[in-house]
Amino acid sequence: MGSASASYSAPGGVFGLSPPESSRRDSRKRRKDRPSWVKHTFTPHFDGHLWRKYGQKNIKDSVFPRLYYRCSYREDKQCLASKLVQQENHEDPPLFKVTYTYEHTCNTAPVPTPDVVAELPAPATGDALFLRFDSTG
DNA sequence: TATATTTGACCACG
DNA sequence: CGTGGTCAAATATA
């Protein structure tokens, strides 16, 4: 074995199917009460926390896929905060609908000043596009 | 090498 | 039966 696992060719080999124990049976507990709120922004990232994408699925009746994000500290700080990002418009400045679930239990804020306005890609000139970032939700 | 990311498959509910 | 959601493994990159 010499060096690590780089010499592997095909997991399971040609000896028929050899899938790992698919014992994920009682996992996936459905939470009955899930506090969640929706917000719109051009920069679904940079909201004051770090996120890690864990899935992407296409929604029926939707040309845009839905991205699933979770707190990078989920295991470290037990931060149950999760976030769903779905593109709603195909305009030049694509608007993303972000659905937040649970609050961040990790007090660590890697982003000191989430200047969302500074990330705006400069909307069309003369466009009466007004964005309201009310935090009161 | 480690980390973050990607894709596929599986499960549960209406 | 279909949809929606999550996890696992494999891959790409720094």
Side-chain angles (χ1 to χ4, degrees), chain A residues 90-108:
Chain A
H90 189 288
E91 308 285 318
D92 189 341
L95 187 65
F96 292 90
K97 181 172 85 173
V98 187
T99 302
Y100 292 86
T101 307
Y102 287 120
E103 295 189 51
H104 280 275
T105 59
C106 56
N107 280 333
T108 67

Side-chain angles (χ1 to χ4, degrees), chain A residues 26-73:
Chain A
D26 19 292
S27 263
R28 218 161 289 143
K29 298 187 234 195
R30 244 160 273 133
R31 192 61 69 157
K32 206 151 62 141
D33 204 353
R34 279 167 55 148
S36 60
W37 52 95
V38 184
K39 196 174 190 124
H40 299 88
T41 175
F42 290 119
T43 57
H45 341 292
F46 302 134
D47 57 355
H49 289 284
L50 298 174
W51 303 90
R52 163 207 192 247
K53 192 158 96 176
Y54 72 86
Q56 169 177 339
K57 264 294 258 300
N58 210 39
I59 305 303
K60 194 175 126 82
D61 281 4
S62 271
V63 287
F64 298 116
R66 183 172 277 182
L67 312 175
Y68 297 81
Y69 286 92
R70 269 196 131 152
C71 189
S72 294
Y73 298 102

Side-chain angles (χ1 to χ4, degrees), chain A residues 116-135:
Chain A
V116 183
V117 183
E119 282 291 321
L120 285 175
T125 56
D127 221 29
L129 183 62
F130 260 87
L131 260 285
R132 204 166 300 173
F133 285 98
D134 274 325
S135 53

